Amino acid sequence: MTGDTEGGRGGDGGVAGDADGADGAEGADEVALDPWGSSAVGDYRELFSEFGIEEFEGILPRVPDPHYLMRRGVIFGHRDYRPVARAMDEGDPFAVLSGFMPTGDPHIGHKLVFDEIIWHQAQGGDAYALIADLEANSARGMSWDEIDEHARNYLLSLLALGFDPEEGTLYRQSENREVQDLAFELGAEANFSEFQSIYGFDGETDVSHMQSVVTQMADILYPQLEEPKPTVIPVGPDQDPHVRLARDLAARTRYFGVRTAYASFEATDDELASLREAYEAREAYAEDADQPRCEEAAEWLATEETAAEGAIEKLENAGMEPLRPRTRFVDRRATDDAFEALIEAVEGEKRVFEAHVDAFEVNLAEAEELAREVEVAHGGHGFLPPSSIYHRFMTGLTGGKMSSSIPASHISLLDDPEEGYEKVKSATTGGRETADLQRELGGRADECPVYELYAYLLAGDDDEFATEVYEECVGGERLCGDCKEQAARLMEEFLEEHQEKRAEVEGLLEEAEIELESSRR
């Protein structure tokens, strides 16, 4: 969930067809996303098809007063953000969490995540920001002295940009016992083979590195320890493996799964699709369309080329049992008391089996809420699957991906303002070879690191200004020299203002409830 390139935090699965939205973390990724590497995404559209990330544009109308990063497409994708947007719109509790691995100075790429946390906090969310010091020590080999120095710088910039420490929560992984206890609990639900599949771990991987992954899963679910609530994790797309695994583990810890069923037997997703098809076509084959029988449905499905063979076999075995839609509560890991309480809580017609309860008068949404209430009342967490939003990587000022390890490629939030000015003036652009060609053909703003500075940072909330810069560039009116000069001045002003604010919030940081020096030094 963290990264030392762009910053940010960020898994899914569970019983097939569960209503809680889990989506599966296992399996090697054809498009490699490495949370600890320097992977860049050449075509963000591939993420939609390969990993089920949805385009943010589709949900934008549901977001109250969206941040300019959302409006401009910098935040380009999401995973299950709807519950967060709904909670925001209706004034219900929700949370935002992201973390930072303190391996270097915070830079303008990290500011994207700072801004996303702060914006969600301003919309009424419970905001959490954490220092991933255990990960920095185990995965990067950072000393605790180095970690403390960098952590302080991240926290100062976060506060200077507007994070409210009195309303939000700041913590270090190494000092948060609740996170560590939750990590131990989640570790019982994870195994080495899936770590191999998701992260490429092998026999040479340190155990502490693997433990840092489980700790990150605990971080992601930490905002829900007191009560289940929609939680969003702002991340770069390279952190998506963490999000998927966390969603998967959230589902595995649940007492009950909730899904649609059509008969007393269990069915896979493919089989469920065939059962649904048979039920909807019941008037074509059933002697009594109000009460179609499984064996009738099996005979009809056998004539359908796309029917799942397993569905036909299970229907045949069920014989004269009615084929009838119902909502099923599956006992995953409930205590005996919790299962009995669930049976008692389900109203209307129901059928009770050894490991599940079928309800005929409860829809999926009602069932999910009921299952969660019973779980929480009997000592379970009732975790909602965490949501995520994904922002584009900033292009490095020298081309390629912005990286903390290449000073010329990024602007540190600690850079002297004059140095920031000079870095922008020396930046690569999307301009043409000559001024005449620029005027004739227009600039390539979509490929320009300098234009990204305007869109991601320098234009602030002023969409009109960002659009003006873009249109003047592609229209040939704006030449690169003047554009870089303006951007360099704006960057210089931003750094001056930011560093003044950092000095102003020193006292807030000292008063904040977070350990600034590790007890492990």
Side-chain angles (χ1 to χ4, degrees), residues 430-447:
R432 303 292 178 176
E433 290 76 9
T434 66
D436 287 341
L437 278 176
Q438 181 90 347
R439 294 188 181 96
E440 178 186 351
L441 302 176
R444 293 165 290 205
D446 293 309
E447 303 173 19

Side-chain angles (χ1 to χ4, degrees), residues 115-347:
D115 287 344
E116 292 169 66
I117 297 172
I118 293 165
W119 178 82
H120 281 93
Q121 184 180 44
Q123 305 310 304
D126 297 326
Y128 296 75
L130 67 107
I131 297 299
D133 54 357
L134 291 177
E135 184 182 0
N137 181 259
S138 63
R140 295 293 191 186
M142 302 289 292
S143 73
W144 291 103
D145 285 345
E146 293 172 312
I147 288 170
D148 286 350
E149 177 184 354
H150 296 315
R152 184 181 185 86
N153 284 327
Y154 275 95
L155 292 167
L156 277 174
S157 283
L158 177 67
L159 297 184
L161 290 166
F163 183 91
D164 185 345
E166 293 185 0
E167 295 295 326
T169 301
L170 302 172
Y171 72 88
R172 305 171 65 119
Q173 288 176 327
S174 64
E175 304 293 336
N176 190 320
R177 185 53 191 259
E178 287 184 310
V179 165
Q180 294 175 41
D181 289 346
L182 180 55
F184 184 84
E185 183 179 343
L186 295 175
E189 300 299 324
N191 59 68
F192 180 64
S193 62
E194 68 184 331
F195 278 20
Q196 285 180 304
S197 176
I198 298 168
Y199 302 112
F201 288 171
D202 57 28
E204 300 300 314
T205 304
D206 292 339
V207 173
S208 62
H209 192 172
M210 290 184 276
Q211 181 61 28
S212 76
V213 172
V214 182
T215 302
Q216 289 183 71
M217 301 303 102
D219 288 327
I220 293 172
L221 297 174
Y222 179 59
Q224 298 191 60
L225 265 186
E226 289 189 6
E227 64 171 338
K229 56 191 166 188
T231 301
V232 60
I233 314 298
V235 288
D238 58 342
Q239 303 297 302
D240 185 58
H242 290 326
V243 177
R244 285 180 280 141
L245 178 57
R247 287 173 61 88
D248 195 359
L249 291 176
R252 292 183 209 173
T253 63
R254 293 296 308 280
Y255 281 9
F256 307 102
V258 177
R259 59 184 296 159
T260 296
Y262 288 87
S264 61
F265 53 78
E266 287 296 305
T268 66
D269 276 354
D270 288 343
E271 292 166 354
L272 276 174
S274 292
L275 295 175
R276 183 181 305 111
E277 182 182 4
Y279 181 78
E280 291 174 352
R282 61 193 182 278
E283 291 187 0
Y285 62 80
E287 182 176 335
D288 180 358
D290 292 331
Q291 195 173 43
R293 303 294 179 173
C294 287
E295 62 181 19
E296 293 177 311
E299 185 176 347
W300 180 83
L301 268 182
T303 67
E304 299 296 305
E305 293 184 2
T306 59
E309 291 185 10
I312 298 173
E313 182 179 352
K314 290 176 180 179
L315 286 167
E316 289 173 341
N317 290 337
M320 291 297 289
E321 179 184 339
L323 184 70
R324 183 182 176 192
R326 76 285 306 271
T327 298
R328 174 163 296 163
F329 298 84
V330 180
D331 181 357
R332 289 179 175 169
R333 48 179 292 166
T335 62
D336 291 342
D337 286 347
F339 190 64
E340 290 298 324
L342 177 72
I343 296 171
E344 183 67 24
V346 175
E347 296 182 349

Side-chain angles (χ1 to χ4, degrees), residues 345-394:
V346 175
E347 296 182 349
E349 184 183 356
K350 58 192 168 189
R351 300 285 185 275
V352 179
F353 300 85
E354 183 177 355
H356 67 264
V357 179
D358 287 353
F360 296 89
E361 300 174 29
V362 181
N363 64 39
L364 281 175
E366 294 168 340
E368 185 62 41
E369 184 176 352
L370 178 62
R372 185 168 281 108
E373 288 176 357
V374 171
E375 177 178 341
V376 172
H378 288 79
H381 297 301
F383 290 135
L384 288 162
S387 308
S388 51
I389 52 177
Y390 303 91
H391 56 257
R392 297 175 184 273
F393 292 124
M394 289 192 76

